[in-house]
Amino acid sequence: MTSNCLFCKIINKEIPAEFIYENENSLVFKDINPVAPTHLLVIPKKHFSSLKDLDSISSSQIIQCIQELTSKLGITDFRSVFNTGAKAGQSVFHVHAHVIAGRELDWPPG
Ligand code: 5GP
Ligand code: ZN
């Protein structure tokens, strides 16, 4: 727990969120400002600031959670994104994967 971290507060239920899925290591909830019909955030329960700080076990646990989540929801086509660093659009410094689906997605992103 990092005391001033928004997503740690969501993990600790100090701030409400719409939880979608959970396993031993990871938590999934709806993004408050969705950019597609499905826009979920997958986070480790342990605090890491960004993808740069993730160890290999935590990295694979997040990927595994994305696999479980999309299987459970029957999502076959989706985009998973880790924005890393403010210039790349990271605004919350608790690592998270966006899982975006439910419409045609353009490439490249802006
Ligand atoms: P980033 O910009 O760091 O890649 O992604 C952070 C995401 O967190 C954004 O898409 C933003 O909409 C979402 N977000 C910010 N504050 C909250 C919140 O309080 N609750 C939820 N559920 N999502 C949030
Ligand atoms: Zn945190």
Side-chain angles (χ1 to χ4, degrees), residues 23-99:
N23 68 17
E24 193 182 343
N25 314 289
S26 306
L27 198 56
V28 183
F29 52 94
K30 289 188 182 180
D31 195 294
I32 204 167
N33 186 22
V35 300
T38 298
H39 186 171
L40 305 175
L41 299 172
V42 180
I43 66 171
K45 292 181 180 176
K46 186 176 165 193
H47 181 93
F48 299 91
S49 295
S50 84
L51 178 146
K52 297 271 284 178
D53 295 329
L54 279 176
D55 56 50
S56 60
I57 290 175
S58 298
S59 305
S60 50
Q61 286 170 342
I62 295 174
I63 301 297
Q64 190 186 347
C65 186
I66 294 171
Q67 292 169 334
E68 292 171 8
L69 168 77
T70 52
S71 294
K72 181 171 176 273
L73 298 182
I75 298 172
T76 54
D77 297 61
F78 60 93
R79 183 164 297 159
S80 36
V81 175
F82 292 86
N83 293 326
T84 306
K87 284 185 194 162
Q90 186 176 7
S91 60
V92 178
F93 285 80
H94 180 126
V95 67
H96 49 280
H98 296 258
V99 174

Side-chain angles (χ1 to χ4, degrees), residues 1-2 5-9 11 46-48 93-94:
M1 165 73 183
T2 297
C5 170
L6 178 66
F7 288 174
C8 282
K9 287 179 181 162
I11 292 166
K46 186 176 165 193
H47 181 93
F48 299 91
F93 285 80
H94 180 126

